[in-house]
Amino acid sequence: MARAAGAQSEIELAFSGLGQLCAPMLDRIDRLPEPQRDALRTAFGLAAGAAPDRLLVGLAALGLLSDAAGEEPLVCLVDDAQWLDQASAQALAFVARRLVAESVALIFAVREPSGGEQNFAGLAQLSVGGLGEGGCASIVGIGDQVAAGSTGARSDRGRDPRQSLWRCWSCRGG
């Protein structure tokens, strides 16, 4: 599994999100064709040069992910995709649209539609609403049981599920 998370503070840093996702695979960079390899190295600040061609960066990212998936299927999770820098969002959407026979799944998670995800238009979407208090309590209970190594009764009956270490995203601040 490969992961990246958009960050509001990095939204102006070109290719920061893509670099985060691809960092664990950079040992494979020499397997890419030279123009793609050079573009990716420049994009990630590993080599000096003018701003790289975004098509070459997208092709390089596709090649890198495909190469990694040649050994075992690869799931890439990009959380807070609404805060990805524009260059990363474009490159990852480019990759997602070209995955055909590769064993790669790209999942882009956005908190709420905000317009920042327009780069992902045309990709399959699944909207998941908040769980509410009952759903959150169920998830917290399962998490607590797993953490305790138990499948029996919950030891936290009567406790506010939002106080658990196993927090549910929909419970934040609620």
Side-chain angles (χ1 to χ4, degrees):
M1 173 177 258
R3 295 179 182 193
Q8 247 179 330
S9 60
E10 295 181 4
I11 205 161
E12 298 297 324
L13 303 175
F15 300 111
S16 60
L18 183 65
Q20 191 181 138
L21 184 73
C22 293
M25 295 166 249
L26 288 180
D27 59 331
R28 303 167 183 275
I29 201 168
D30 290 329
R31 299 179 188 178
L32 297 172
E34 185 176 358
Q36 294 175 22
R37 180 177 59 232
D38 293 345
L40 203 58
R41 282 187 173 140
T42 303
F44 294 163
L46 301 173
D53 181 281
R54 290 187 184 203
L55 174 63
L56 290 174
V57 172
L59 289 170
L62 176 60
L64 209 56
L65 296 176
S66 297
D67 186 61
E71 294 174 11
E72 64 181 348
L74 177 64
V75 175
C76 301
L77 174 61
V78 181
D79 197 13
D80 288 328
Q82 74 276 4
W83 291 330
L84 280 176
D85 60 279
Q86 185 69 16
S88 292
Q90 287 176 342
L92 289 169
F94 174 88
V95 169
R97 289 186 185 95
R98 281 151 186 83
L99 292 172
V100 179
E102 295 83 359
S103 296
V104 178
L106 275 170
I107 301 169
F108 303 98
V110 296
R111 290 181 187 217
E112 295 178 11
S114 62
E117 63 283 345
Q118 73 272 7
N119 290 305
F120 308 114
L123 299 176
Q125 295 182 19
L126 173 64
S127 295
V128 180
L131 295 174
E133 192 64 31
C136 183
S138 296
I139 289 176
V140 168
I142 292 168
D144 286 345
Q145 288 175 17
V146 170
S150 163
T151 57
R154 285 180 54 196
S155 60
D156 64 343
R157 287 202 196 280
R159 183 176 58 158
D160 182 349
R162 292 171 289 178
Q163 300 304 312
S164 174
L165 293 176
W166 290 82
R167 288 188 165 249
C168 173
W169 282 69
S170 66
C171 293
R172 286 189 186 179

